[in-house]
Amino acid sequence: MAAADIAMLRDRARTLLDAGDIAGARSVYAGALRRYPHDPGLLNSAGNFHAGQGDLDEALTLFERAILNAPDDAELIMNRCVVLSRMARASEALPSLLRLERRMAHIARYWSVRASLEKTLDDKNAAAASYDRCLALHPTHLQARHGRARLALERGELDAVARFEAALAGQQGDAQLWLGYAQALDCAGQSSRALEIGRALARQAPGWTDLLQFLAELRWALGDRDNFCADFAESARLRPDDCGLIKAWCAALAGVDRHAEAADIAGDAVRRFSGDETWRLAEAVYAGASGDDDRAERLFADLPLKGPERAVQEARHRLRRMEAESAERLLNDAIGQNPTEVAAWALRDIAWRLLGDSRSEWLHRQEGLVQFVNTGIAPNALAEIVSLMHRLHDTGSMPLGQSIRSGTQTQGGLFDRLEPEVRLVHAHIVEMIERYRSALPPVDPEHPLLRHRDHQWRIKGSWSIRARAGGHHSAHIHPHGLLSSAFYLILPPTAGGSDALGGALELGRPPPDLRLDLPPIAVIEPVAGHCALFPSTLYHGTRPFSAGQRMTIAFDVTLAA
């Protein structure tokens, strides 16, 4: 009798949900749980309902109550893990699945959920193996097909295009799959076909910023420099009230130093979205970067918005106007609210140097903070690495919003790839990072890097840059890193000759938009097979060179999850 009643209540809730009556469905589930508070099936259904509505805390509570009453139920355990992952607690969810491998190894969904958690935790090799186990049990499993295709793309596997085509055979209506397919085609050298697919997607989903960013980068790589943001402009015409879309458009323009255009678009948004002061801040940021300091000054003067982001951006403006004391006060406030804010520390270094404050020595000039070390990779192995990087760069492009000028960057995470040359580089770099750490000064709880000296680190983000003659990196920072790097593979022919500093790494020179005549605190002349390691709070860029190529591998080091 109870089972029939529960089934009826569950069907009623689902009918209400299908009709769009979310409140009604929630009320039915609440009433049902008061009558049957320990029924695992009902708790599971209610958990799925709340998860679907984004109420993850309640969904987790319901799944855990259900597991108390049915501890061996595989579906309940997997649903709990899915919710934990959505709550950014994948590291908590995965161990519970690993313990159940023997009991659940025959269940395809077990491997799909496990793969998703492993990918979230950046263990892509394990994720690929789990997706393969899932597909061995269920060859047409939709999520596993998609997830495995995405991993093939990210790891540079040669069958990435074929995997997306196989996945699309069963999911023609999945827009994310089509975007992945277009990205895979681009990596395979079929950029025109990728652009065709991307533009078709944009007509159907004009507010999809990830797609529009991909199209902008693709157009730029294909040489359409004047109209590379055409898809952003058309989408903004169709969706004039989409703030996220317009912000992404501004960022794409600013990424290639077209700050004045971004400022005008943001200024139009100020007038149309009068209640959102973040637009006034955006206009001030882009106006200042374009050189219109008077416009930026007026905007900051009238801006009621407070918080660390406003403080950091206004500090940039104050530095441009040589108001270092005002900048230091703003940055002190920003760091007080967020002590790990890389951009604030980087600007503070510049303010301290302008003021002659000795704390700049403490921040970046202590012995051991900047190191230039031999990776220990043998010359013949280095030559094989260079050959592979050339092949990857032949399908690379200059990404928007990155520091490289006149050059290409490899696509995806370089250290996610499977080639033995990449695995060799990764192994040497892991060892080198530990040697770097051991040579650092002692732990200092006030220092943005040394406070984490003895914590667990990990590599997060990796890529290669190939710069052409005249190419260089504009001075920049990596705002999400703890440690930044430059591992040298190819040097321009002038390096070591009469123009020995062509292509050299400059540490501490302010970025061009600050328009400050402040020299670098260090200049590192590159040596093939060597790697520079330095705090991510230190602005860094390279000097142009007149002939040849300069190729590097770079990566960020962050705190482990």
Side-chain angles (χ1 to χ4, degrees):
M1 190 65 153
D5 193 31
I6 290 170
M8 181 190 69
L9 291 168
R10 195 159 43 201
D11 289 343
R12 183 186 304 166
R14 289 170 177 166
T15 299
L16 290 168
L17 182 61
D18 290 343
D21 187 355
I22 296 171
R26 181 178 288 109
S27 177
V28 169
Y29 274 123
L33 288 171
R34 284 194 294 271
R35 294 169 63 182
Y36 305 102
H38 305 299
D39 185 83
L42 179 59
L43 287 162
N44 187 45
S45 295
N48 285 326
F49 165 76
H50 283 281
Q53 303 309 309
D55 188 355
L56 301 181
D57 288 326
E58 180 63 17
L60 181 61
T61 297
L62 291 166
F63 288 136
E64 290 182 340
R65 282 174 54 190
I67 290 169
L68 287 174
N69 291 278
D72 295 327
D73 190 302
E75 182 180 0
L76 291 174
I77 294 167
M78 288 186 285
N79 285 346
R80 174 183 177 271
C81 289
V82 169
V83 168
L84 283 171
S85 181
R86 290 177 60 187
M87 298 171 77
R89 293 166 60 182
S91 59
E92 181 182 339
L94 183 57
S96 65
L97 278 190
L98 296 178
R99 288 192 296 269
L100 297 170
E101 177 177 341
R102 177 172 293 182
R103 184 153 59 86
M104 294 188 178
H106 65 288
I107 302 173
R109 188 182 177 225
Y110 166 81
W111 293 106
S112 176
V113 172
R114 175 168 160 173
S116 178
L117 293 171
E118 289 164 337
K119 186 174 186 298
T120 298
L121 294 172
D122 216 25
D123 190 349
K124 293 181 180 178
N125 291 335
S130 293
Y131 277 132
D132 288 341
R133 291 286 297 271
C134 176
L135 291 168
L137 293 166
H138 187 342
T140 59
H141 192 286
L142 299 181
Q143 291 88 347
R145 273 186 165 184
H146 188 173
R148 187 62 182 85
R150 173 58 61 178
L151 281 173
L153 173 62
E154 293 174 0
R155 300 200 305 169
E157 296 177 52
L158 296 178
D159 63 350
V161 169
R163 285 186 179 276
F164 275 105
E165 289 174 343
L168 282 166
Q171 292 171 275
Q172 283 284 314
D174 190 323
Q176 288 283 357
L177 263 178
W178 280 107
L179 175 57
Y181 182 43
Q183 293 168 328
L185 288 169
D186 180 39
C187 290
Q190 300 182 54
S191 299
S192 296
R193 173 64 175 146
L195 180 62
E196 179 185 337
I197 292 171
R199 293 194 66 191
L201 285 172
R203 287 191 290 271
Q204 299 176 51
W208 190 2
T209 55
D210 287 346
L211 168 64
L212 296 172
Q213 179 72 16
F214 169 68
L215 286 172
E217 292 183 353
L218 195 52
R219 286 178 177 273
W220 185 273
L222 291 170
D224 190 4
R225 303 299 167 87
D226 292 335
N227 299 305
F228 78 102
C229 274
D231 300 290
F232 271 114
E234 175 61 14
S235 294
R237 185 185 68 80
L238 296 171
R239 297 173 62 90
D241 297 328
D242 190 331
C243 288
L245 163 62
I246 300 169
K247 287 179 180 177
W249 183 15
C250 290
L253 289 166
V256 293
D257 300 328
R258 286 163 62 167
H259 300 287
E261 293 175 56
D264 289 342
I265 292 170
D268 177 66
V270 168
R271 292 182 287 275
R272 293 192 294 112
F273 306 113
S274 57
D276 186 350
E277 292 298 332
T278 61
W279 283 113
R280 192 178 301 276
L281 175 60
E283 183 185 1
V285 169
Y286 295 130
S290 74
D292 194 343
D293 291 345
D294 290 340
R295 178 180 177 185
E297 177 70 16
R298 291 192 300 272
L299 288 160
F300 278 118
D302 294 336
L303 182 63
L305 189 69
K306 303 296 182 185
E309 176 65 14
R310 184 249 167 86
V312 169
Q313 296 300 342
E314 186 173 351
R316 294 184 76 90
H317 172 65
R318 297 297 157 207
L319 288 171
R320 291 188 188 107
R321 296 169 68 91
M322 293 298 294
E323 299 171 10
E325 290 184 356
S326 294
E328 156 59 15
R329 286 194 296 271
L330 288 162
L331 294 167
N332 185 61
D333 289 344
I335 291 169
Q337 296 177 68
N338 182 5
T340 63
E341 177 60 56
V342 171
W345 280 108
L347 292 172
R348 199 177 200 187
D349 176 56
I350 293 171
W352 281 342
R353 290 165 62 196
L354 290 172
L355 293 168
D357 192 316
S358 63
R359 287 177 292 181
S360 66
E361 302 281 336
W362 163 83
L363 183 59
H364 286 145
R365 300 197 204 192
Q366 295 186 63
E367 185 72 25
L369 289 178
V370 175
Q371 298 180 29
F372 189 57
V373 297
N374 190 337
T375 60
I377 298 177
N380 61 332
L382 199 64
E384 293 174 355
I385 293 163
V386 167
S387 178
L388 171 64
M389 291 304 112
H390 274 308
R391 295 197 299 273
L392 298 181
H393 278 287
D394 288 343
T395 58
S397 62
M398 191 188 99
L400 307 182
Q402 301 301 314
S403 63
I404 183 63
R405 300 293 181 267
S406 187
T408 57
Q409 179 171 317
T410 54
Q411 303 189 50
L414 183 64
F415 292 161
D416 292 332
R417 301 182 65 90
L418 301 178
E419 293 91 345
E421 297 90 341
V422 173
R423 306 322 309 153
L424 176 68
V425 173
H426 181 264
H428 277 266
I429 283 174
V430 168
E431 292 179 3
M432 184 184 62
I433 290 169
E434 287 308 309
R435 294 198 301 272
Y436 171 90
R437 186 210 296 268
S438 68
L440 283 174
V443 172
D444 181 342
E446 301 301 319
H447 193 280
L449 172 59
L450 296 177
R451 68 163 50 123
H452 300 301
R453 184 194 190 281
D454 295 340
H455 294 161
Q456 188 174 358
W457 295 357
R458 66 191 287 253
I459 295 173
K460 178 70 173 177
S462 52
W463 59 96
S464 175
I465 296 289
R466 185 175 69 183
R468 297 185 291 271
H472 69 286
H473 285 274
S474 180
H476 64 289
I477 55 171
H478 300 179
H480 303 296
L482 187 65
L483 194 66
S484 296
S485 63
F487 168 40
Y488 295 94
L489 298 176
I490 295 180
L491 307 178
T494 51
S498 58
D499 183 20
L501 295 183
L505 174 66
E506 294 188 331
L507 300 177
R509 186 185 293 279
D513 73 280
L514 292 187
R515 304 186 293 278
L516 293 172
D517 187 19
L518 198 64
I521 65 170
V523 178
I524 295 177
E525 185 173 358
V527 178
H530 286 60
C531 185
L533 293 168
F534 47 90
S536 292
T537 51
L538 187 55
Y539 274 104
H540 56 285
T542 62
R543 295 183 178 179
F545 56 94
S546 57
Q549 294 180 330
R550 176 183 179 274
M551 185 190 290
T552 58
I553 287 174
F555 52 90
D556 286 331
V557 176
T558 65
L559 290 176

